[in-house]
Amino acid sequence: MSTPPVPFWLNGIPEPKHVQGQIWDINVRGHGPVWVGPWNELKAFNKAKGLGLVAAHIVGREHLLDVGSRIHGDRAPCVAVEGPRHDLWTKQVGDIQFRVFAGRKTKTHLRASITRSEVAWLYATVYSEHPELIRISRNILGLKAPPTPKRPPAKAIPPPKSAAPTERAGKTGGKKLRSLPLDPDKLGRGDASRKAEVKSAGVAVAIAGANFILNVIIDYTSAQRMNEEVKRREPIINRQRAEQPELGMLLVFVFHGARQDPESGLSVSGRFVRLETSRGHTEHEARQRWAETPRLEPRVDETHEFRWYEPLKEPSLQQLSTPFPKIGAARFADERKVRFQTLEFSAASGFDAEKVLGPEDLSQFGPYPMIAMQVPEAIDYVLFGRIREKKLAVSTRKDQRESPVAVLILDDGTAVVPVWPASKNTAKLFAALPGIDDKIGALRHMINNEMIRWVRPEWIVVTPAA
């Protein structure tokens, strides 16, 4: 049997070896030899081999639909990898999608479609150690060979005692203790900013004197219509920002028909159809509200461009949306013995106890005001792209002053209260501590959940909200 021609999405990959059907063997730096091929063929091939490998989409199904690719569904190119690596990639894609593009698309959560360049950047970030997969992803998207991506530095969360020093320092219990660095101007606001600049073939638009370039190919008529619409709406947008300066403004440019044929590489200009807006204290909040706004089912060829304008006045921490309902103000019962409980979340068992951090004497660096929250009886989490529900064990316990407070009961019977920073000083402390250990990103859709920390009720004093 003659060897079939190498598919276009393997262009530029050194020495692909034919295995069977449309399955090929290639070498991926940072991993080694792998099989690649259409999802349906590779899945059956993996099953026949009995090696427990997973057919992982090199470009996710939803993103192939976003860009109007002709190769999607069962014919989408995949790579055979171990389950943990597939889970890691899924989590990384979900994290980026959550921070930058308002979450992943599910049956119950609609998010914005993203452009071809944005999809390419997303997978270049995820596959930063695997240049061949970056090249394949760009081939699938009909883009040219990729630039060399910069690998982002690893983010290590330092424990309180080893945190980098700021202007406040002192000695506690014979050990040097420093306040913890965190830029308050970025609190709750930098989470959805772009991590990389995407090259554009688009049009410049100005609002409030600031020019920006859209990452979508459009024709001259659409460019004119966009600028006319921006000029018409600019006074209204500026007035809204001035009336509520603590809210930022999200502009959403909606296009129909912008696509690029993955085989020929020919581009079709997008037609600008409307401008939508959304408000929020953070870009994440604004994107979430925009995604949750009822609207007609978007067209298959509908794409969106987002531009975020920061609030004119920095919102207070109390104004930011919390993942759970607020039940009152909280403080440490004794700031000479500050402790935190760390948690892990898994789809199988829910919230599990990990370890206790502390006690630490932070009395000379306080106070540390907090907001106590109440965990609901059930929460939604994401698993394999679907929203699922996890029942939780909730109850009531007494705080240090014997006042009742709502708690979450962990797997070992430990009762904990979720707390939120109520001051920049508390936010700095929280930023130096680990958040929920969520290995697969099951809670990534929860707004601002990275700011939650957990304490036991006997460690704090809660003043119920009036």
Side-chain angles (χ1 to χ4, degrees):
M1 185 179 293
S2 61
T3 301
V6 176
F8 79 93
W9 47 269
L10 284 179
N11 289 343
I13 303 302
E15 301 179 358
K17 299 176 182 178
H18 182 247
V19 179
Q20 68 177 50
Q22 288 297 319
I23 297 175
W24 299 79
D25 188 337
I26 65 171
N27 189 66
V28 172
R29 277 171 282 181
H31 187 281
V34 296
W35 294 310
V36 294
W39 180 82
N40 55 354
E41 290 189 39
L42 193 58
K43 181 181 178 182
F45 181 77
N46 289 340
K47 185 176 180 180
K49 288 289 184 181
L51 299 178
L53 299 178
V54 177
H57 284 80
I58 298 173
V59 175
R61 289 173 183 262
E62 65 184 277
H63 298 128
L64 293 174
L65 292 174
D66 279 342
V67 301
S69 173
R70 293 179 181 177
I71 50 170
H72 54 78
D74 291 351
R75 303 301 299 169
C78 294
V79 56
V81 293
E82 304 84 354
R85 184 175 291 270
H86 174 259
D87 293 343
L88 175 63
W89 286 344
T90 300
K91 181 181 184 303
Q92 290 173 335
V93 170
D95 287 345
I96 297 171
Q97 189 79 54
F98 175 71
R99 294 195 310 268
V100 183
F101 303 115
R104 300 199 75 170
K105 188 181 298 183
T106 68
K107 289 183 178 180
T108 58
H109 176 76
L110 292 177
R111 58 118 179 108
S113 298
I114 59 178
T115 66
R116 197 175 300 271
S117 295
E118 289 172 328
V119 174
W121 167 77
L122 188 158
Y123 286 98
T125 303
V126 172
Y127 300 143
S128 60
E129 297 181 350
H130 312 299
E132 290 77 14
L133 295 183
I134 297 176
R135 179 62 186 267
I136 293 174
S137 68
R138 293 181 70 90
N139 287 341
I140 293 170
L141 296 168
L143 300 175
K144 295 180 181 179
T148 303
K150 295 182 180 180
R151 183 179 179 183
K155 291 186 177 180
I157 302 177
K161 291 189 290 186
S162 60
T166 63
E167 69 277 7
R168 301 181 64 180
K171 291 185 177 180
T172 306
K175 298 179 181 179
K176 202 166 189 180
L177 186 65
R178 296 182 172 102
S179 58
L180 306 165
L182 180 68
D183 185 353
D185 293 332
K186 295 181 180 179
L187 255 178
R189 293 202 280 164
D191 54 341
S193 61
R194 282 295 150 85
K195 303 299 180 185
E197 185 174 330
V198 182
K199 291 184 178 180
S200 168
V203 60
V205 179
I207 283 199
N211 287 292
F212 56 82
I213 303 293
L214 294 177
N215 304 318
V216 65
I217 300 173
I218 60 175
D219 57 28
Y220 177 75
T221 302
S222 286
Q224 276 191 317
R225 293 182 64 235
M226 285 177 58
N227 280 293
E228 289 172 359
E229 180 66 7
V230 166
K231 185 176 181 180
R232 183 182 72 84
R233 298 278 294 274
E234 187 171 4
I236 301 173
I237 291 171
N238 288 336
R239 184 175 70 248
Q240 291 175 335
R241 296 184 72 202
E243 290 173 349
Q244 294 180 296
E246 72 282 358
L247 294 177
M249 176 69 72
L250 180 70
L251 305 185
V252 185
F253 295 87
V254 183
F255 301 88
H256 288 168
R259 60 183 179 83
Q260 187 174 35
D261 185 85
E263 296 187 6
S264 68
L266 297 176
S267 299
V268 178
S269 296
R271 177 172 59 88
F272 171 70
V273 291
R274 65 182 179 275
L275 171 62
E276 299 178 356
T277 62
S278 181
R279 306 294 308 274
H281 296 105
T282 67
E283 184 177 355
H284 185 186
E285 290 183 18
R287 286 196 182 222
Q288 193 88 346
R289 290 173 181 170
W290 176 82
E292 292 172 353
T293 300
R295 56 173 59 85
L296 295 175
E297 184 74 18
R299 288 174 34 157
V300 173
D301 64 346
E302 181 171 300
T303 55
H304 308 90
E305 282 285 331
F306 297 88
R307 283 301 174 270
W308 168 248
Y309 289 87
E310 296 281 358
L312 299 175
K313 177 182 177 183
E314 182 181 352
S316 68
L317 288 164
Q318 290 84 348
Q319 291 176 309
L320 301 183
S321 298
T322 56
F324 306 130
K326 305 172 185 177
I327 59 175
R331 60 178 177 82
F332 292 107
D334 187 349
E335 290 191 346
R336 295 169 300 177
K337 298 178 181 179
V338 170
R339 286 169 286 191
F340 290 90
Q341 174 74 55
T342 61
L343 273 61
E344 175 186 13
F345 182 85
S346 66
S349 57
F351 289 103
D352 299 331
E354 286 194 328
K355 61 182 179 180
V356 173
L357 302 179
E360 290 288 345
D361 185 350
L362 303 182
S363 56
Q364 58 182 312
F365 305 112
Y368 294 105
M370 300 172 288
I371 297 172
M373 297 176 288
Q374 181 174 0
V375 177
E377 295 182 353
I379 62 169
D380 291 337
Y381 68 97
V382 180
L383 184 64
F384 302 123
R386 295 184 179 181
I387 299 289
R388 304 168 190 264
E389 185 181 82
K390 172 63 66 176
K391 298 291 185 182
L392 302 177
V394 295
S395 185
T396 302
R397 294 288 188 273
K398 294 183 178 180
D399 67 5
Q400 199 270 344
R401 288 190 175 179
E402 299 293 318
S403 298
V405 58
V407 297
L408 169 68
I409 306 299
L410 305 179
D411 60 321
D412 63 354
T414 300
V416 292
V417 180
V419 289
W420 179 270
S423 73
K424 293 179 181 179
N425 197 40
T426 308
K428 291 178 182 179
L429 174 63
F430 281 22
L433 303 169
I436 300 169
D437 184 2
D438 179 15
K439 292 183 173 62
I440 64 171
L443 302 178
R444 59 181 175 265
H445 65 290
M446 287 175 51
I447 192 165
N448 296 331
N449 85 49
E450 73 279 358
M451 298 177 69
I452 304 175
R453 296 299 179 265
W454 304 81
V455 294
R456 297 184 185 180
E458 61 268 25
W459 298 344
I460 60 173
V461 173
V462 177
T463 303

